[in-house]
Amino acid sequence: QVQLVESGGGSVQAGGSLRLSCTASGTSLGFNVMGYYRQGPGKQRDLVAYITSGGTTNYADSVLGRFTISRDSAKNTVYLQMNTLKPEDTAVYYCNAQARYGTIYWGKGTLVTVSS
């Protein structure tokens, strides 16, 4: 049973920083792509950033230059460093991982609240 366990959410003032972590367990085959999506109040779930097993990264335009995604493949863990946070970054952040056999898994989400 694959599980994604997220941590690091919380409340911060605008301009502050937070670091999210997500550790995947339940398979020894590893994951091709790991990343984060977010869903703000009344909005759809959108991609924030992802990183491939080869280290290729991709970011939403809204977070480019402020967020950095990284991973420790040996630990099946992905990190999202979020700097210069804005109130519009307030959302539930969901970890996402695509296993090497193709199945996509989701975490339960962690809330990030940025106050002005």
Side-chain angles (χ1 to χ4, degrees):
Q1 183 89 11
V2 173
Q3 289 188 319
L4 304 183
V5 178
E6 299 144 323
S7 62
S11 297
V12 66
Q13 289 192 327
S17 299
L18 285 173
R19 188 190 194 210
L20 305 183
S21 299
C22 171
T23 298
S25 63
T27 176
S28 60
L29 297 178
F31 298 86
N32 289 329
V33 184
M34 300 185 75
Y36 280 92
Y37 285 68
R38 68 184 181 186
Q39 187 167 15
K43 297 182 180 180
Q44 65 182 23
R45 189 177 298 188
D46 291 324
L47 174 71
V48 177
Y50 69 76
I51 183 168
T52 69
S53 57
T56 299
T57 58
N58 187 55
Y59 296 90
D61 288 344
S62 59
V63 307
L64 196 61
R66 300 187 297 122
F67 292 10
T68 302
I69 194 166
S70 60
R71 67 187 284 177
D72 184 337
S73 293
K75 297 181 179 179
N76 282 336
T77 298
V78 62
Y79 306 96
L80 185 68
Q81 178 66 43
M82 304 185 294
N83 298 328
T84 319
L85 283 161
K86 304 176 180 179
E88 50 264 44
D89 294 318
T90 294
V92 178
Y93 284 69
Y94 295 91
C95 180
N96 169 281
Q98 182 189 52
R100 295 198 187 279
Y101 45 84
T103 304
I104 295 173
Y105 298 93
W106 292 92
K108 294 183 178 181
T110 185
L111 178 62
V112 171
T113 303
V114 184
S115 58
S116 57

